[in-house]
Amino acid sequence: MRHGPTTRQTILDQALRLFVEQGFTETTTRDIAKACGISEGAIYRHFQSKDEIGWELFHDSYAAMAERLQGLIDAAPDFAAALRAIVADLCRLFDDEPFRFRYLLLAQHAFLHRVTAAMKSPIKVLRGLVERGIAEGRIGVADPALATAFAQGPLLFAAQSIVYRALEPPLAAHAEQIQQATLRSLGYRAK
Amino acid sequence: MRHGPTTRQTILDQALRLFVEQGFTETTTRDIAKACGISEGAIYRHFQSKDEIGWELFHDSYAAMAERLQGLIDAAPDFAAALRAIVADLCRLFDDEPFRFRYLLLAQHAFLHRVTAAMKSPIKVLRGLVERGIAEGRIGVADPALATAFAQGPLLFAAQSIVYRALEPPLAAHAEQIQQATLRSLGYRAK
DNA sequence: TGTACATCAGTGAACGCGCGTTCACTGATGTAC
DNA sequence: TGTACATCAGTGAACGCGCGTTCACTGATGTAC
């Protein structure tokens, strides 16, 4: 295929799935090639290394998610609405693109050493929102680091429970409960 | 050393640390041997394989934690006291044995396929407590799977925040806040 | 106590295997004239 | 339109390396008599 922008995307798609299912190190270039129906050599027409595939998958999704969350926050009328919008959106992302969602969680550890302080990150965005909530007197938990930690719990453990087959999918079906649990865990009080 | 029960333990200790710091697959038998100050061959006097080291570290701690949590629950006068005791105890464990604590979280994924349904597990113990709380009308979240997920969030994300240096150690210093956030996220109501 | 043998933790070189990556080559498609 | 050459994705065998594991050997300690 001369005009085949599809092979590169196929490699990304299959690698994403395999990295989540088997782990990054545990996935071989032979696995990826086989899943794509191409030879191993062909991978290196599109990427310099296996590491580059992993990093590109992480970096692009990570930055995109940060922008997306910031957009939701900017569009929301107040703190609680912003938090609710984020939870609802991430539930949808988990249901629609489970591999992308899960890869972001896994790859955080693996590529942490490459995440520079300058990079936008979903965690920083969330922390910004939490700090605003504290400043506006909406949140009972005074320590922003602790509050940011608490804010992640309900959504991400609910997602994990679905992965481990302890909780019934889709995650969006539990969005309302997750939103409430998140607000409660922060000690939210309405105006 | 003829009467040297220390080498086996040294291997376990160093492997635990390395598995947490670098990952299981990323840690080589050369790494372990070097950290212990022994040859690679010596490892195989005490363990059949690298996998066995990983599994033993996981299985022993996993079962021990399950027993420990069940003991705390049995000794507590009511639901809230049990949950508080668990949180306080796990905070202490994280501070005292950070590698053991973190390894349990990491290895869950890696050894999940070997965790049989018959094995005792901290998650099952927690779920049992949560179900009791729901039955006794103490918990607002009706779905036990969802409530079990919520119950893990404040503690484990606070722990992760310390690992990522976002939150000030020790974890025990935040125990009170974590206990309250856990109860709140479950929609706890006192008698 | 002294001697002969057994036991066992530890050594370190070596093994085979599977990994990520390379590279000479193929064949289809695009371009120049 | 036809011909010659350029470009490029893809092939698949091969490469070197580092991995987990093995094994013949050593030397210290325990045991039998």
Side-chain angles (χ1 to χ4, degrees):
Chain A
M1 293 180 246
R2 189 62 179 276
H3 295 302
T6 58
T7 300
R8 186 185 156 89
Q9 193 56 50
T10 302
I11 293 170
L12 286 172
D13 291 345
Q14 294 301 316
L16 178 68
R17 179 178 63 81
L18 289 165
F19 290 163
V20 169
E21 287 178 353
Q22 311 182 359
F24 178 79
T25 311
E26 292 76 8
T27 299
T28 69
T29 51
R30 279 162 181 77
D31 291 335
I32 297 171
K34 196 177 174 186
C36 297
I38 58 174
S39 68
E40 285 189 86
I43 293 173
Y44 293 86
R45 295 281 158 208
H46 301 278
F47 299 94
Q48 284 193 30
S49 64
K50 178 186 160 186
D51 219 55
E52 194 190 86
I53 300 175
W55 173 247
E56 180 168 323
L57 281 170
F58 174 69
H59 180 268
D60 288 4
S61 300
Y62 201 64
M65 185 183 279
E67 305 254 10
R68 185 163 154 164
L69 297 189
Q70 190 60 59
L72 291 172
I73 290 172
D74 294 343
D78 60 24
F79 169 78
L83 205 64
R84 284 177 174 277
I86 285 177
V87 168
D89 194 63
L90 291 178
C91 284
R92 248 175 279 127
L93 180 64
F94 177 84
D95 292 329
D96 293 347
E97 295 200 76
F99 293 123
R100 188 166 308 281
F101 191 100
R102 291 174 61 188
Y103 183 67
L104 280 172
L105 294 179
L106 287 175
Q108 246 180 318
H109 301 81
F111 291 109
L112 197 65
H113 60 286
R114 282 215 223 157
V115 176
T116 66
M119 272 177 67
K120 290 189 180 181
S121 96
I123 289 294
K124 283 192 209 158
V125 171
L126 179 62
R127 173 148 180 161
L129 175 62
V130 164
E131 283 171 353
R132 194 181 100 190
I134 292 173
E136 293 176 359
R138 301 270 79 76
I139 293 182
V141 178
D143 183 335
L146 203 55
T148 305
F150 292 167
Q152 299 173 64
L155 176 74
L156 295 184
F157 273 97
Q160 185 184 281
S161 295
I162 288 180
V163 171
Y164 287 171
R165 304 188 181 283
L167 185 68
E168 192 77 11
L171 186 57
H174 308 283
E176 177 62 30
Q177 294 255 46
I178 294 167
Q179 289 165 340
Q180 289 176 9
T182 307
L183 288 168
R184 283 199 308 266
S185 74
L186 293 173
Y188 173 76
R189 40 185 179 250
K191 281 178 219 180
Chain B
M1 294 181 247
R2 189 63 178 278
H3 293 301
T6 56
T7 301
R8 186 185 157 90
Q9 193 56 50
T10 304
I11 293 170
L12 286 172
D13 291 345
Q14 294 301 316
L16 179 69
R17 179 178 62 80
L18 289 165
F19 290 164
V20 170
E21 287 177 353
Q22 311 182 359
F24 178 79
T25 310
E26 292 75 8
T27 299
T28 69
T29 51
R30 278 161 181 78
D31 290 336
I32 297 171
K34 196 176 174 186
C36 296
I38 58 175
S39 68
E40 284 188 89
I43 293 173
Y44 293 86
R45 295 282 160 207
H46 302 278
F47 299 94
Q48 284 195 30
S49 64
K50 177 187 161 187
D51 219 54
E52 196 191 84
I53 300 175
W55 173 247
E56 180 169 323
L57 282 169
F58 173 68
H59 180 267
D60 289 5
S61 300
Y62 201 63
M65 186 183 278
E67 305 254 10
R68 185 164 154 164
L69 297 189
Q70 190 59 60
L72 292 171
I73 291 171
D74 294 342
D78 61 22
F79 169 78
L83 205 64
R84 284 176 175 277
I86 285 177
V87 167
D89 194 62
L90 291 179
C91 284
R92 250 174 277 128
L93 180 64
F94 177 84
D95 291 329
D96 293 347
E97 295 200 76
F99 292 124
R100 187 166 309 279
F101 191 100
R102 291 174 60 188
Y103 183 67
L104 280 173
L105 295 178
L106 287 175
Q108 247 181 317
H109 301 80
F111 291 109
L112 197 64
H113 60 286
R114 282 216 223 156
V115 177
T116 67
M119 273 177 67
K120 291 188 179 181
S121 94
I123 289 294
K124 283 191 209 159
V125 171
L126 179 63
R127 172 145 181 163
L129 175 63
V130 163
E131 283 172 353
R132 196 182 99 189
I134 293 173
E136 291 176 0
R138 302 270 78 78
I139 294 182
V141 178
D143 184 335
L146 203 54
T148 304
F150 292 168
Q152 299 172 66
L155 176 73
L156 295 185
F157 273 97
Q160 185 184 281
S161 295
I162 287 179
V163 171
Y164 287 170
R165 304 186 182 284
L167 185 67
E168 192 77 12
L171 187 56
H174 308 284
E176 177 62 31
Q177 294 256 47
I178 294 167
Q179 289 164 340
Q180 289 176 9
T182 307
L183 288 169
R184 283 199 307 266
S185 74
L186 293 173
Y188 173 76
R189 37 183 180 252
K191 282 179 218 183

